[in-house]
Amino acid sequence: MRVGGPGGTAGDMDAAGDAERRRLVRVARGQEPGDLLIRGAQVVQPATREIFEADVLVAGGRVAAVGASLQARRVVEARGAYLAPGFIDGHVHIESSLLTPAGFAQAVLPRGTTGVVAEPHELVNVLGPRGLEWMLEAGAASGLRVWASAPSCVPASEFETGGARVGAAEIARMLRVPGVLGLAEMMNYPGVLGGDEGVWSVLEAGRAAGRRLDGHASGVRGRDLQAYAAAGLHSDHEATTPEEATERLRAGLWLMVREGSAARNLEALLPVLRGRPRRAMLVSDDVSVDELLELGHLDRLLRMCVAGGLHPADAVGLVTCNPAEYWGLHDAGLVAPGYLADFVLLRDLVGFGVLETFVGGREAAAGGPSPALGGGGVALGERWPAATFDIPASWPVIQVHGEQITTGVGAPGTGDARLVIADRYGRGEWSACWTSGTGLSGGTLGISVLHDAHHAAFLGGSDADIRAAGQALEELGGGAVLIAGGQVRARLPLPYAGLMSDRPPQEVASALRQITDAARALGCVLPYPVTTLSFLGLTVIPALKLTPAGLLDVHAWTLLGTADTQAEHLR
């Protein structure tokens, strides 16, 4: 897989002009040669649940014909390899990989991913609408096809204050940006169910634009789920059990089955997928760079599906024509005449080993440097050098689960590591509580990637180590650090808004691995400590979460204690 050169962009999805379509027809009829012929492939056709031998003819970046005795100026011999549509991730936060779009493309193009629908609410929470515009600009130069959805919850709830606040008017403008396909996940389900005027004005902006309204209803069941769907939402990726998944499908919601670094739901939901539901897809949501390189992207999910009993064509449909249909990408997701020539040559349909990835009829190539992006560093305030982080003995404990982003509620006194969340936008506010289940002791893990407001988060350690970790993050301009005994044991700079690195994926993964190894040496048992820590402040995911303002009971939708009451209690 070479780096550099042209790749697919969001703009390429514009309908082909009359001249291009007329030429495509002539090529299909054999009146003139095509540009590229993939000869002797086993074509995977999820629309008919078939795998059949055929040649595939390409002209002008689109498939002209699928058949035999076709002619082109250039021929690639498939020699019986499987030709599947290029994989599309229908819901992913590129920022969670810790890579810019160019780096993300380097990691996933060799795995067969040709397009993603990015949900850039990480960037938008830090920088406002210009974060979405940057994501599309950087995506257009990445070599991937990068579309986007317009973030609906900035901040995610009234309990969060990040670097930006985006209302219905700004969202309406974002929905008009070329390459934006719909309204991103509506996480504030209490606001939807409770009739919050701000939330409903955002939904109305999405409806007025005639776009998809992406859902996000963690733990919502029964009449509340019916009400959430009745509000006009179209999908959900928060199902964790077969019962939840089936309930969502019956409610008319598209089922996005999530398998990422922080939340792994595919294995549990395989029984539902084996039933071949009409409206389902696979998504990664949040996936870390080290997992992308070690385990794969959508190719890994396909391996899991086939091993779990799905027909290969059904599995492929979950990452091709299904997400394309959901998002209205009418020319993507199949190897068929008129469709974009985004496809992947596979060694087999068990391991899904990729031989070559094509975008727009060309061998895929990741793009060059990302455009500049200013702002979004770390400023903890003038009180930070003398900060202390005591916790009231009566406060409950956040129970951390290594492979889910939901948390439990532990009894007071059962914690084993402190969690501190500090405002990183200069407002000088922080709060602390106890956690259990991380195993970390004797050091501090500090990050500036904290969904979704992206404050600074610190796990474990003495006051001195937490303060040192904060200072290190300020000096880096954002990133991740591991401090022990006042010394930096490992670090990863993330200069793009404190969220992403422009270094090659292997280099970023190596630095992240050093942080993980250093944390494990200090007792941490989390498979992906940075990713798991990054979700302990997300206020729309049950059951307990911490913000700079205090500890939140998500089910009760109320702060159990605030930073002010914490300080008062300790005086």
Side-chain angles (χ1 to χ4, degrees):
M1 185 70 62
R2 71 185 188 277
V3 176
T9 69
D12 291 335
M13 278 304 296
D14 293 339
D18 182 75
E20 290 85 353
R21 286 288 185 184
R22 287 174 181 269
R23 184 199 170 212
L24 203 63
V25 169
R26 292 195 299 273
V27 171
R29 300 189 71 196
Q31 294 171 333
E32 62 179 87
D35 304 325
L36 171 70
L37 179 66
I38 307 293
R39 187 158 58 195
Q42 295 290 323
V43 176
V44 181
Q45 175 53 282
T48 58
R49 207 171 182 238
E50 288 181 285
I51 300 167
F52 57 88
E53 184 174 354
D55 301 339
V56 176
L57 185 62
V58 174
R62 292 175 180 266
V63 176
V66 178
S69 302
L70 307 175
Q71 301 295 320
R73 297 182 180 91
R74 177 173 173 244
V75 177
V76 171
E77 299 289 352
R79 296 185 175 87
Y82 295 89
L83 189 71
F87 308 151
I88 300 171
D89 194 333
H91 179 76
V92 61
H93 305 283
I94 290 177
E95 307 98 307
S96 294
S97 70
L98 309 181
L99 301 169
T100 61
F104 189 81
Q106 289 182 46
V108 304
L109 281 170
R111 299 285 192 167
T113 299
T114 58
V116 300
V117 180
E119 211 286 59
H121 71 203
E122 322 302 347
L123 264 180
V124 175
N125 266 274
V126 176
L127 300 173
R130 72 182 178 96
L132 177 138
E133 295 166 1
W134 181 90
M135 181 61 73
L136 286 171
E137 180 186 0
S142 71
L144 276 174
R145 296 193 193 272
V146 177
W147 304 281
S149 52
S152 65
C153 299
V154 180
S157 77
E158 63 262 36
F159 298 107
E160 294 187 31
T161 53
R165 182 172 291 274
V166 176
E170 292 90 349
I171 290 169
R173 286 193 290 272
M174 287 192 285
L175 286 166
R176 293 194 292 269
V177 173
V180 174
L181 305 179
L183 186 70
E185 51 189 330
M186 174 47 72
M187 297 179 289
N188 192 348
Y189 62 84
V192 174
L193 300 178
D196 180 273
E197 291 300 326
V199 169
W200 276 81
S201 67
V202 168
L203 294 177
E204 180 54 34
R207 282 192 288 268
R211 303 299 183 87
R212 281 295 191 191
L213 306 183
D214 229 3
H216 181 293
S218 179
V220 179
R221 302 288 304 274
R223 294 291 291 272
D224 281 350
L225 181 67
Q226 297 289 306
Y228 187 77
L233 282 306
H234 295 136
S235 68
D236 184 67
H237 59 267
E238 293 293 324
T240 61
T241 67
E243 293 77 17
E244 286 185 335
T246 299
E247 189 176 5
R248 279 148 175 75
L249 289 167
R250 287 175 176 171
L253 297 170
W254 279 74
L255 177 66
M256 293 182 173
V257 177
R258 173 179 55 193
E259 183 73 13
S261 299
R264 302 181 184 279
N265 308 131
L266 176 52
E267 184 174 359
L269 301 186
L270 278 172
V272 176
L273 294 180
R274 282 196 291 268
R276 299 175 60 199
R278 170 67 182 79
R279 295 151 67 92
M281 70 189 83
L282 305 176
V283 302
S284 66
D285 199 5
D286 300 277
V287 60
S288 181
V289 57
D290 48 354
E291 181 166 323
L292 284 175
L293 296 181
E294 293 169 14
L295 302 178
H297 187 217
L298 298 175
D299 59 316
R300 178 175 70 89
L301 278 57
L302 289 172
R303 288 192 289 275
M304 292 177 64
C305 284
V306 171
L310 270 69
H311 187 283
D314 291 335
V316 167
L318 296 171
V319 296
T320 57
C321 56
N322 287 16
E325 178 184 345
Y326 174 78
W327 284 113
L329 301 172
H330 304 299
D331 293 349
L334 291 175
V335 179
Y339 281 69
L340 292 166
D342 300 349
F343 39 69
V344 53
L345 271 173
L346 299 165
R347 188 177 296 109
D348 58 74
L349 297 179
V350 177
F352 288 88
V354 175
L355 299 172
E356 188 65 79
T357 304
F358 293 81
V359 178
R362 302 180 181 181
E363 285 87 344
S370 296
L373 179 65
V378 176
L380 299 177
E382 60 184 15
R383 296 190 300 127
W384 185 260
T388 57
F389 310 102
D390 296 324
I391 304 163
S394 61
W395 278 21
V397 171
I398 295 180
Q399 294 176 326
V400 179
H401 308 302
E403 294 192 348
Q404 298 295 340
I405 59 177
T406 54
T407 64
V409 180
T414 61
D416 53 21
R418 280 190 299 181
L419 173 66
V420 174
I421 305 295
D423 184 296
R424 75 160 162 114
Y425 303 102
R427 292 179 285 248
E429 186 177 44
W430 60 79
S431 189
C433 70
W434 287 106
T435 69
S436 65
T438 71
L440 185 65
S441 62
T444 293
L445 173 61
I447 61 174
S448 62
V449 180
L450 184 72
H451 301 276
D452 284 332
H454 294 291
H455 292 298
F458 306 93
L459 182 65
S462 64
D463 286 355
D465 276 355
I466 294 172
R467 291 193 297 265
Q471 181 179 356
L473 288 180
E474 287 185 321
E475 293 171 353
L476 289 175
V481 295
L482 197 289
I483 300 283
Q487 301 298 311
V488 177
R489 301 292 180 88
R491 67 175 192 166
L492 170 59
L494 299 174
Y496 280 70
L499 302 175
M500 297 170 289
S501 170
D502 60 351
R503 305 302 302 164
Q506 293 77 7
E507 191 174 316
V508 178
S510 176
L512 184 60
R513 195 174 302 114
Q514 291 176 32
I515 292 173
T516 299
D517 291 345
R520 287 176 178 162
L522 295 170
C524 184
V525 297
L526 301 174
Y528 297 95
V530 169
T531 301
T532 300
L533 175 56
S534 74
F535 281 97
L536 296 185
L538 182 51
T539 59
V540 293
I541 300 293
L544 286 179
K545 292 297 166 77
L546 188 66
T547 78
L551 187 62
L552 179 71
D553 181 333
V554 180
H555 288 304
W557 206 236
T558 184
L559 286 171
L560 299 178
T562 67
D564 290 339
T565 59
Q566 178 183 13
E568 180 66 29
H569 183 95
L570 293 166
R571 277 200 285 270

